[in-house]
């Protein structure tokens, strides 16, 4: 690849009076790193600074509340509704400016999309129509609308005083301004409801008042939904074009085109699993009718895709969200054509699960540092040690990678002929292919760092003691659990791994025992290959622990594809290829299956514990300690390697 490859991506661009050094935008992404009363913290600053240092041209802050606390959807949302927030904001801006990036503050009000225990009262909205899974909001009066217009203008003024290079008015997704724009939530009969002209009146009044407050030269961006597929009465692209046209006329300097979805399209503008670049056609249609720059977003994580979008004139800038969570240095690596060094986002949505569902600070499955940037530095090891890592799954590979970066001499043993461990199987079910890009990344890094990799070698404890390394890190993975069913072995059950890797021959009628995430994903894999599939789960719910925005679409797809799902079952026996269960109503049911697949999880693997007394430094990481996901595997691998 030649250095001119990303010419367009690294071409400067103007948003109003703001010159941005390249066309990479970090879109607003809520972090939960603020204080409970809306102040910037050291972690907030460090998180954004590392993305600025990594080369993004324009950083848009996460949602910042213009009317605290009633307008906040999360406990730790930053706020800008009072001058007391300005000093912290100045520090944030300075941290970002140190690296030549520009920064815009996202002005936000949640409207009906919050709950009273977070916003401290009854949420507000255009009409008394509840947002997704929320209570009925108070319908804003005209006077209350006027007050909010002033809140936006004052907030913008404070942003300017704090040194921000611009502001972005958040009129997208499911928050207050999008609620006004969308017929789904806006049922008003007054001048703020009915026609699109009326529904956009609130937004336009805000833009005009913000403009008055910040003056003619100060860049105002506006984020809108390019469409709301799957939402009853949701906004159409045609309506979005009209909104774009109107906000441009009201003096906006750039339009950022996201989207909102419902049902199978859940959260399309958010972080769900959509195809890379799936929302670009919306941006491109809007670009055709406006003169100001248009920002496209939606899994544009690959610099080649980003460059293509820009070259084809579909957008003027590209926003890379989760790609920059996973790897803040993505822009720099693209600039120096080191694409193989970019740590890819696997779209697992762990980031969103933390900040939205668990309401805890942001984390990332593939990047153990996210949310902990403050005070974090990779330090060269004072004493260079010989390190043996046993197990080439995510935990082992991350430990080997980090230990090698710190200067240790690392050898990694993997008993199979491939690195990746459980990730090799996890990447096979539908919508999981991103995981293999992460495995490729890790393998590549190990090779570049000179880690000695011994594949197809099951090293024995006695061999390890003979080699006498300074440090041994055990990452051998867990032991699969067999369900407690009399005579289960007689049915020759097969493992999920054997199914997904194609090693097991599978009959036409299949029972999956275990309806957790892995069982359900395997069921989808099999039904897509024409099998008749039944999933059995002893608990009351399927795919427990899976993030709701992924769980709901997965279960919907399974039902639509005709998978039979049982919860609350009790296993009785297996005889002559027939499994007897008691269902949750107490009925005994006999199920015939040609193949029984076991997806009942795993237990810790303590085989190596005997080395504890014999080695100076022995560590256990990943799910040989306790069954865990990718994030915990990566985090434990990283922590141990940073500590040796
Ligand atoms: C953890 C997380 C938090 C988000 N918070 C916001 C937000 O505060 N404001 C906003 O407009 N969009 C928010 N989004 C949506 C992103 O700006 C972006 O549109 C989405 O992640 C799709 O882009 P990507 O595929 O590049 O990640 C958030 C997304 C994520 C993953």
């Amino acid at each position: 690849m030649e250095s001119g490859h990303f010419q367009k991506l690294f071409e400067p661009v103007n948003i109003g009076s703001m010159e941005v050094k390249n066309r990479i935008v970090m879109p607003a992404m809520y972090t939960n790193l603020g204080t409970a009363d809306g102040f910037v913290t050291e972690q907030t600053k460090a998180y954004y600074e590392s993305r600025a240092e990594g080369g993004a041209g324009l950083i848009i802050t996460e949602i910042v509340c213009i009317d605290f606390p009633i307008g906040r959807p999360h406990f730790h949302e930053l706020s800008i509704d009072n001058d007391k927030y300005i000093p912290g904001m100045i520090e944030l801006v300075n941290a970002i400016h140190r690296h030549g990036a520009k920064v815009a503050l996202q002005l936000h009000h949640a409207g009906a999309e919050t709950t009273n225990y977070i916003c401290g009262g009854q949420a507000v909205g255009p009409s008394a129509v509840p947002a997704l899974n929320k209570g009925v909001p108070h319908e804003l009066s005209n006077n209350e609308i006027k007050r909010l217009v002033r809140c936006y203008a004052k907030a913008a003024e404070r942003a300017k005083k704090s040194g921000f290079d611009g502001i972005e008015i958040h009129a997208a997704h499911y928050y207050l301004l999008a609620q006004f724009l969308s017929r789904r939530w806006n049922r008003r009969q007054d001048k703020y409801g009915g026609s699109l002209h009326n529904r956009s009146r609130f937004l336009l009044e805000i833009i005009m008042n913000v403009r008055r407050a910040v003056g003619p030269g100060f860049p105002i961006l506006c984020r809108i939904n390019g469409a709301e597929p799957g939402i009853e009465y949701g906004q159409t692209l045609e309506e979005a074009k009209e909104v774009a046209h109107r906000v441009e006329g009201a003096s906006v300097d750039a339009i950022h085109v996201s989207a909102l979805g419902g049902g199978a399209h859940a959260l399309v503008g958010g972080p769900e699993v959509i195809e890379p670049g799936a929302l670009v056609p919306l941006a491109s249609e809007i670009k055709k009718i406006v003169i100001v720059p248009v920002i496209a977003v939606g899994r544009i994580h690959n610099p080649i895709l980003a460059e293509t979008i820009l070259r084809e004139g579909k957008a003027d800038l590209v926003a890379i969200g989760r790609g920059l969570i996973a790897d803040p240095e993505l822009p720099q690596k693209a600039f120096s054509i080191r694409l193989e060094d970019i740590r890819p986002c696997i779209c697992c949505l762990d980031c969103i699960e933390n900040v939205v569902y668990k309401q805890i600070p942001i984390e990332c499955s593939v990047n153990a540092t996210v949310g902990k940037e403050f005070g974090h530095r990779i330090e060269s090891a004072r004493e260079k040690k010989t390190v043996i890592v046993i197990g080439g799954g995510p935990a082992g590979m991350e430990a080997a990678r980090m230990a090698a970066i710190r200067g240790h001499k690392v050898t990694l043993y993997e008993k199979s002929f491939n690195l990746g461990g459980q990730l090799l199987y996890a990447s096979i079910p539908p919508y999981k292919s991103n995981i293999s890009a992460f495995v490729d990344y890790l393998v590549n890094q190990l090779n570049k760092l000179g880690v000695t990799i011994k594949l197809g070698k099951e090293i024995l404890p006695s061999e390890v003691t003979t080699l006498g390394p300074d440090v041994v890190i055990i990452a051998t993975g867990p032991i699969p659990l067999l369900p407690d069913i009399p005579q289960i072995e007689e049915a020759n059950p097969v493992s999920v791994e054997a199914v997904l890797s194609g090693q097991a021959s599978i009959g036409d009628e299949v029972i999956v025992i275990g309806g957790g995430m892995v069982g359900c994903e395997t069921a989808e894999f099999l039904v897509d290959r024409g099998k008749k599939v039944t999933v059995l789960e002893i608990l009351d719910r399927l795919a427990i622990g899976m993030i709701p925005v992924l769980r709901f679409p997965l279960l919907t797809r399974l039902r639509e594809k005709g998978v039979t799902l049982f919860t609350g079952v009790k296993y009785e026996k297996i005889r002559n290829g027939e499994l007897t269960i008691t269902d949750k109503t107490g009925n005994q049911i006999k199920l015939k299956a040609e193949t029984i697949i076991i997806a009942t999880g795993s237990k810790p693997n303590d085989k190596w514990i005997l080395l504890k007394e014999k080695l100076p430094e022995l560590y256990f990481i990943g799910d040989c300690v306790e069954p865990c996901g990718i994030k915990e595997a990566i985090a434990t691998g990283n922590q141990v390697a940073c500590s040796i």
Side-chain angles (χ1 to χ4, degrees), residues 478-516:
I479 297 173
L481 262 183
L482 266 189
D484 188 15
I485 307 174
Q487 281 101 35
I488 177 84
E489 290 85 359
E490 276 178 23
N492 293 323
V494 295
S495 68
V496 165
E497 289 79 4
V499 174
L500 296 175
S501 62
Q503 284 162 11
S505 76
I506 310 291
D508 287 333
E509 286 195 34
V510 179
I511 290 177
V512 179
I513 295 187

Side-chain angles (χ1 to χ4, degrees), residues 183-200:
R183 284 190 302 130
R184 167 74 176 78
W185 287 285
N186 186 342
R187 310 283 167 87
R188 298 176 78 97
Q189 313 254 316
D190 62 2
K191 63 177 180 175
Y192 294 104
S195 65
L196 185 60
H197 189 273
N198 280 355
R199 281 181 276 130
S200 55

Side-chain angles (χ1 to χ4, degrees), residues 309-330:
I309 291 165
L310 296 173
R311 283 199 188 187
E312 290 177 354
K314 293 181 172 157
D316 302 286
L317 297 100
V318 286
I320 303 179
R322 286 161 294 171
L324 289 179
I325 297 178
D327 193 341
E329 293 172 3
L330 185 156

